Amino acid sequence: MTETAVRVGRAMRPAARILLVDRDSRVLLFRFTPDDRAPFWCTPGGACDPGESYLDAARRELFEETGIHADPGPEVAQRWVDFLTIERVEVTADERWFRVNIDAPDIDPSGHTELERRVMTQWRWFRRDEIAGWPETIFPDDLLSMLEATDDA
Protein backbone atom coordinates (compact mmCIF):
# COMPACT_ATOMS: atom_id res chain seq x y z
CA MET A 1 0.00 0.00 0.00
CA THR A 2 1.34 3.44 -0.87
CA GLU A 3 1.50 6.39 1.48
CA THR A 4 -1.03 8.20 -0.72
CA ALA A 5 -3.51 5.30 -0.46
CA VAL A 6 -3.25 5.30 3.33
CA ARG A 7 -4.08 9.00 3.48
CA VAL A 8 -7.04 9.20 1.08
CA GLY A 9 -9.72 11.51 2.45
CA ARG A 10 -7.38 13.40 4.78
CA ALA A 11 -6.16 16.95 4.38
CA MET A 12 -2.40 17.25 3.89
CA ARG A 13 -0.78 19.42 6.56
CA PRO A 14 2.87 20.42 6.26
CA ALA A 15 4.05 21.26 9.78
CA ALA A 16 7.14 22.29 11.71
CA ARG A 17 7.67 20.87 15.21
CA ILE A 18 10.27 21.92 17.74
CA LEU A 19 12.20 20.03 20.38
CA LEU A 20 12.90 22.97 22.68
CA VAL A 21 15.53 21.93 25.22
CA ASP A 22 16.87 24.08 28.05
CA ARG A 23 20.33 24.06 29.63
CA ASP A 24 19.18 21.42 32.14
CA SER A 25 18.17 19.05 29.29
CA ARG A 26 14.47 19.57 29.99
CA VAL A 27 12.02 19.73 27.09
CA LEU A 28 9.14 22.20 26.84
CA LEU A 29 5.65 20.76 26.37
CA PHE A 30 2.28 22.46 26.13
CA ARG A 31 -0.86 20.96 27.65
CA PHE A 32 -3.86 20.97 25.33
CA THR A 33 -7.40 20.69 26.72
CA PRO A 34 -9.73 20.18 23.74
CA ASP A 35 -13.46 19.84 24.24
CA ASP A 36 -13.70 16.50 22.41
CA ARG A 37 -10.94 14.37 23.99
CA ALA A 38 -8.72 13.92 26.99
CA PRO A 39 -5.99 16.50 27.66
CA PHE A 40 -2.60 15.83 26.11
CA TRP A 41 0.88 17.39 25.97
CA CYS A 42 2.99 18.15 22.91
CA THR A 43 5.93 20.14 21.68
CA PRO A 44 5.74 23.65 20.22
CA GLY A 45 5.04 23.89 16.52
CA GLY A 46 2.28 23.87 13.99
CA ALA A 47 1.18 24.05 10.38
CA CYS A 48 3.15 25.87 7.75
CA ASP A 49 1.45 28.91 6.25
CA PRO A 50 0.86 28.71 2.46
CA GLY A 51 4.19 29.10 0.67
CA GLU A 52 6.16 29.05 3.93
CA SER A 53 9.19 26.78 4.23
CA TYR A 54 9.45 24.34 7.12
CA LEU A 55 12.40 26.29 8.53
CA ASP A 56 10.50 29.58 8.37
CA ALA A 57 7.45 27.93 9.97
CA ALA A 58 9.65 26.56 12.77
CA ARG A 59 11.10 30.02 13.41
CA ARG A 60 7.61 31.62 13.37
CA GLU A 61 5.96 28.96 15.54
CA LEU A 62 8.80 29.10 18.06
CA PHE A 63 8.36 32.84 18.45
CA GLU A 64 4.53 32.82 18.45
CA GLU A 65 4.23 30.02 20.99
CA THR A 66 7.18 30.79 23.27
CA GLY A 67 8.33 34.36 22.57
CA ILE A 68 11.80 32.99 21.80
CA HIS A 69 13.77 34.35 18.84
CA ALA A 70 16.19 31.61 17.80
CA ASP A 71 17.52 29.92 14.70
CA PRO A 72 15.94 26.45 14.57
CA GLY A 73 19.02 25.08 12.84
CA PRO A 74 18.88 22.04 10.58
CA GLU A 75 15.97 19.65 10.32
CA VAL A 76 16.62 16.68 12.65
CA ALA A 77 13.71 14.40 11.73
CA GLN A 78 10.76 13.96 9.43
CA ARG A 79 7.65 11.86 9.89
CA TRP A 80 4.12 11.38 8.60
CA VAL A 81 1.39 11.44 11.25
CA ASP A 82 -2.40 11.05 10.96
CA PHE A 83 -4.51 12.86 13.54
CA LEU A 84 -7.64 14.89 14.24
CA THR A 85 -6.86 18.58 14.69
CA ILE A 86 -8.35 20.68 17.48
CA GLU A 87 -10.60 22.15 14.75
CA ARG A 88 -11.84 18.56 14.08
CA VAL A 89 -10.16 18.13 10.67
CA GLU A 90 -8.66 14.72 9.80
CA VAL A 91 -5.14 15.40 8.55
CA THR A 92 -1.99 13.70 7.46
CA ALA A 93 0.85 15.87 8.69
CA ASP A 94 4.23 15.92 7.02
CA GLU A 95 6.12 16.96 10.15
CA ARG A 96 9.64 18.33 9.97
CA TRP A 97 11.38 18.47 13.34
CA PHE A 98 13.93 21.00 14.55
CA ARG A 99 15.85 21.04 17.81
CA VAL A 100 16.49 24.32 19.58
CA ASN A 101 18.73 24.47 22.64
CA ILE A 102 18.31 27.51 24.86
CA ASP A 103 19.80 28.81 28.08
CA ALA A 104 16.89 30.69 29.64
CA PRO A 105 13.63 28.78 30.05
CA ASP A 106 11.31 31.84 30.19
CA ILE A 107 8.19 31.48 28.02
CA ASP A 108 6.10 34.40 26.72
CA PRO A 109 2.67 33.22 25.47
CA SER A 110 1.55 36.67 24.26
CA GLY A 111 1.83 35.53 20.62
CA HIS A 112 -0.72 32.73 21.05
CA THR A 113 -3.73 32.77 18.77
CA GLU A 114 -7.24 32.86 20.22
CA LEU A 115 -7.54 29.09 19.76
CA GLU A 116 -4.18 28.49 21.45
CA ARG A 117 -5.19 30.67 24.41
CA ARG A 118 -8.32 28.55 24.78
CA VAL A 119 -6.78 25.07 24.49
CA MET A 120 -3.08 25.48 25.42
CA THR A 121 -3.79 26.07 29.06
CA GLN A 122 -0.43 25.16 30.56
CA TRP A 123 3.18 24.57 29.72
CA ARG A 124 6.07 23.15 31.65
CA TRP A 125 9.63 21.97 31.30
CA PHE A 126 9.80 18.18 31.59
CA ARG A 127 12.79 16.26 32.84
CA ARG A 128 13.33 13.12 30.81
CA ASP A 129 12.61 10.86 33.77
CA GLU A 130 9.13 12.42 34.07
CA ILE A 131 8.04 11.73 30.50
CA ALA A 132 7.66 7.93 30.40
CA GLY A 133 5.43 7.73 33.48
CA TRP A 134 3.40 10.89 32.91
CA PRO A 135 -0.33 10.22 33.54
CA GLU A 136 -1.54 12.10 30.43
CA THR A 137 -0.69 11.40 26.79
CA ILE A 138 2.45 13.04 25.43
CA PHE A 139 3.03 13.49 21.70
CA PRO A 140 5.09 12.34 19.99
CA ASP A 141 4.93 9.01 21.78
CA ASP A 142 8.62 8.45 21.06
CA LEU A 143 9.72 11.82 22.42
CA LEU A 144 12.47 10.33 24.58
CA SER A 145 14.00 8.54 21.59
CA MET A 146 13.84 11.71 19.52
CA LEU A 147 15.59 13.68 22.26
CA GLU A 148 18.31 11.05 22.61
CA ALA A 149 18.82 10.90 18.85
CA THR A 150 19.28 14.68 18.68
CA ASP A 151 21.33 15.23 21.84
CA ASP A 152 24.36 16.13 19.74
CA ALA A 153 22.40 18.47 17.47
Side-chain angles (χ1 to χ4, degrees):
M1 193 177 317
T2 67
E3 204 153 16
T4 303
V6 172
R7 288 153 172 69
V8 169
R10 293 179 164 275
M12 293 303 297
R13 183 180 191 256
R17 307 291 322 170
I18 298 159
L19 299 170
L20 186 61
V21 181
D22 75 0
R23 66 179 161 257
D24 296 322
S25 295
R26 299 177 304 172
V27 63
L28 180 73
L29 298 175
F30 287 97
R31 185 175 190 256
F32 284 74
T33 56
D35 296 331
D36 63 341
R37 64 197 101 159
F40 61 90
W41 295 81
C42 68
T43 63
C48 297
D49 288 340
E52 186 177 42
S53 72
Y54 290 95
L55 179 62
D56 288 341
R59 187 177 293 112
R60 176 184 52 76
E61 288 285 343
L62 179 63
F63 179 69
E64 288 176 359
E65 293 187 358
T66 69
I68 295 170
H69 284 286
D71 178 8
E75 189 177 304
V76 297
Q78 187 222 358
R79 60 178 56 189
W80 292 89
V81 181
D82 292 336
F83 65 93
L84 179 67
T85 68
I86 298 293
E87 299 92 348
R88 303 202 46 77
V89 176
E90 294 280 349
V91 300
T92 292
D94 175 5
E95 295 182 338
R96 307 298 172 94
W97 288 81
F98 299 84
R99 176 158 170 163
V100 178
N101 296 315
I102 62 165
D103 285 330
D106 294 330
I107 300 301
D108 175 5
S110 64
H112 286 190
T113 66
E114 181 181 326
L115 176 63
E116 289 168 338
R117 283 190 294 275
R118 185 171 54 81
V119 299
M120 291 170 60
T121 58
Q122 299 171 12
W123 60 88
R124 77 186 293 274
W125 293 94
F126 281 78
R127 293 186 328 267
R128 293 183 190 196
D129 64 346
E130 295 177 302
I131 293 171
W134 197 253
E136 294 176 313
T137 301
I138 292 178
F139 294 112
D141 57 7
D142 63 343
L143 178 59
L144 289 172
S145 297
M146 288 185 75
L147 290 167
E148 289 170 12
T150 62
D151 274 340
D152 295 328

